[in-house]
């Protein structure tokens, strides 16, 4: 079953504006050495999908730097491989609406690229849902069911606050989609929420895009799925593995900490047989721990230089922790320097930050203190 992949790299940038001010959500660092897009790219490559298009919006320089030629994902190919699709803006475009806001608008902007896809099936995915999913199984389910579109969902328990951030897909006993509830304000309880992963035939995708252009449709959920719910065969694929949907800085912090405290989360992401998670290789030296260093319940990447105390924290590549410094319950991103005697608790530092000697920064579990990229404190 030949399939191509389309990844939306900017759709949820506004969910965590602190981390996406200078990058796309696709290139947000996660889990010591990865970026969000690594999980989606790895899922596709592990499912033998080697023709992948990444639709961009803005701030995608860091994404291009990270992906490069795609060789780290075995996507540097003469035929197929990975393509970055920049936003299509005409000379006569309305500046207020010149760049897409929804998935359907993004697809309309790359209609020429979609028309060149030769594979029978296409997998559409956001890049901020962290999971290790087998697309081959989902495509086979789609084929056997005779569905026009198949949506990946997972049953979770929702609070009223969490429900406001999710789209609920109701289905019958056969898995046929019966209703879509977008961002309900008063819902509470168990529900199947979308993972924003869709499988369909390439021919049907072309039809959707052509009709959207002809009739000025802008929303995939409202203008396509809801309108055609009763006459088309839309189905849900129930995914039962681990996943993390990042919808706020608090979510980012909590799901990152899950990698330390939740063995099931780590195993479900990184220890699935024949389904590794790939990322850009950086040939750094091993992490160095001085005789005075003390590390407990933490993830430390290569290239780090640790002289102080690190507890329950995630330390990215190239970080330096000074003498007598204490880092607890923190996420310290690449090439950050924590000075001698500094004290950090519930802090997220972006790349290349500098925390001066003796500085004390304290946040809270529900609201970690954030230090922006390149900031010196």
């Amino acid at each position: 079953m030949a399939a191509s992949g389309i990844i939306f790299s900017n759709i949820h940038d506004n969910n965590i504006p602190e981390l996406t001010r200078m990058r796309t959500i696709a290139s947000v660092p996660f889990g010591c050495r990865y970026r969000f897009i690594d999980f989606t790219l790895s899922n596709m490559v592990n499912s033998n999908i080697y023709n992948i298009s990444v639709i961009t919006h803005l701030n995608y320089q860091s994404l291009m730097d990270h992906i490069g030629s795609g060789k780290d994902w075995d996507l540097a190919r003469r035929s197929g491989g990975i393509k970055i699709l920049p936003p299509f803006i005409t000379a006569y475009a309305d500046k207020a609406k010149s760049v897409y806001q929804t998935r359907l608008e993004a697809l309309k902007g790359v209609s020429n690229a979609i028309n060149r896809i030769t594979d029978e099936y296409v997998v559409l995915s956001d890049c901020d849902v962290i999971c290790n999913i087998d697309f081959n199984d989902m495509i086979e389910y789609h084929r056997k069911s005779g569905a026009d579109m198949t949506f990946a969902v997972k049953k979770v328990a929702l609070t009223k606050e969490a429900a406001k951030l999710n789209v609920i897909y109701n289905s019958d006993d056969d898995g046929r989609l019966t209703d879509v509830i977008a961002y309900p304000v008063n819902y509470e309880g168990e529900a199947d929420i979308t993972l924003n992963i869709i499988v369909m035939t390439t021919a049907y995708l072309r039809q959707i895009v052509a009709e959207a252009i002809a009739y000025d449709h802008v929303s995939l959920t409202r203008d396509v799925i809801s309108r055609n719910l009763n006459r088309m065969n839309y189905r849900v694929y129930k995914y039962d593995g681990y996943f993390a949907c990042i919808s706020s800085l608090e979510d980012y912090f909590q799901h990152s900490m899950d990698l330390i405290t939740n063995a099931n989360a780590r195993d479900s992401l990184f220890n699935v047989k024949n389904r590794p998670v790939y990322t850009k290789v950086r040939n750094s030296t091993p992490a160095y721990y001085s005789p005075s260093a003390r590390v407990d319940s933490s993830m430390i990447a290569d290239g780090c230089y640790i002289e102080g105390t690190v507890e329950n924290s995630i330390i990215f590549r190239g970080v330096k922790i000074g003498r007598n410094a204490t880092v607890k319950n923190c996420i310290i991103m690449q090439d950050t320097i924590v000075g001698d005697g500094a004290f950090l608790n519930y802090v997220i530092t972006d790349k290349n930050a500098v925390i001066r000697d003796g500085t004390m920064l304290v946040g809270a579990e529900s609201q970690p203190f954030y230090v922006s990229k390149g900031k010196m404190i």
Side-chain angles (χ1 to χ4, degrees), residues 17-263:
E18 300 91 344
L19 297 176
T20 57
R21 186 173 64 87
M22 300 178 66
R23 58 167 72 92
T24 70
I25 198 165
S27 54
V28 168
F30 184 80
C32 230
R33 60 198 299 265
Y34 301 95
R35 305 292 184 108
F36 281 175
I37 197 170
D38 291 338
F39 296 90
T40 304
L41 284 177
S42 298
N43 289 336
M44 289 185 174
V45 170
N46 290 332
S47 302
N48 301 314
I49 298 174
Y50 295 105
N51 187 5
I52 301 172
S53 299
V54 181
I55 305 177
T56 60
H57 188 308
L58 45 81
N59 285 342
Y60 53 91
Q61 179 63 54
S62 65
L63 179 63
M64 294 174 66
D65 291 343
H66 180 68
I67 293 176
S69 66
K71 65 181 179 63
D72 294 301
W73 298 266
D74 192 21
L75 290 170
R77 294 167 172 258
R78 189 179 299 275
S79 177
I82 191 164
K83 304 176 186 69
I84 302 292
L85 303 180
F88 176 75
I89 307 174
T90 64
Y92 51 83
D94 177 358
K95 290 184 179 179
K97 300 180 180 179
S98 58
V99 182
Y100 70 84
Q101 301 296 321
T102 69
R103 294 177 187 84
L104 190 54
E105 288 178 328
L107 293 170
K108 288 160 64 176
V110 298
S111 58
N112 288 335
I114 292 171
N115 289 333
R116 290 195 295 268
I117 295 175
T118 58
D119 294 317
E120 182 179 3
Y121 295 98
V122 62
V123 178
L124 279 62
S125 178
D126 287 356
C127 56
D128 57 339
V129 175
I130 311 302
C131 65
N132 194 324
I133 185 173
D134 185 358
F135 288 134
N136 283 326
D137 188 57
M138 186 175 175
I139 294 170
E140 180 63 17
Y141 171 83
H142 172 83
R143 186 187 67 81
K144 286 185 175 179
S145 67
D148 295 295
M149 272 200 285
T150 299
F151 308 89
V153 300
K154 181 173 174 64
K155 185 176 287 295
V156 297
L158 294 172
T159 63
K160 286 186 178 180
E161 290 302 314
K164 294 177 183 177
L165 302 173
N166 287 281
V167 179
I168 297 172
Y169 280 31
N170 292 329
S171 59
D172 60 23
D173 293 338
D174 292 328
R176 185 157 183 162
L177 188 64
T178 58
D179 193 18
V180 178
I181 308 172
Y183 313 114
V185 294
N186 291 314
Y187 188 92
E188 189 173 13
E190 284 196 339
D192 287 331
I193 63 170
T194 179
L195 273 61
N196 294 319
I197 298 172
I198 307 171
V199 171
M200 69 184 85
T201 63
T202 304
Y204 188 56
L205 176 61
R206 291 193 185 113
Q207 178 185 328
I208 289 173
V209 172
E211 290 179 354
I213 293 172
Y215 297 105
D216 197 26
H217 292 165
V218 295
S219 170
L220 189 63
T221 300
R222 183 183 65 250
D223 295 326
V224 178
I225 300 170
S226 296
R227 286 186 180 185
N228 297 306
L229 201 59
N230 294 325
R231 67 185 189 88
M232 304 300 289
N233 184 8
Y234 294 159
R235 291 184 175 266
V236 298
Y237 171 83
K238 297 192 176 183
Y239 172 69
D240 58 2
Y242 173 85
F243 93 105
C245 186
I246 312 297
S247 56
S248 65
L249 187 66
E250 180 185 350
D251 281 346
Y252 174 80
F253 182 80
Q254 294 295 341
H255 289 305
S256 295
M257 292 296 108
D258 275 351
L259 299 179
I260 298 174
T261 60
N262 187 340

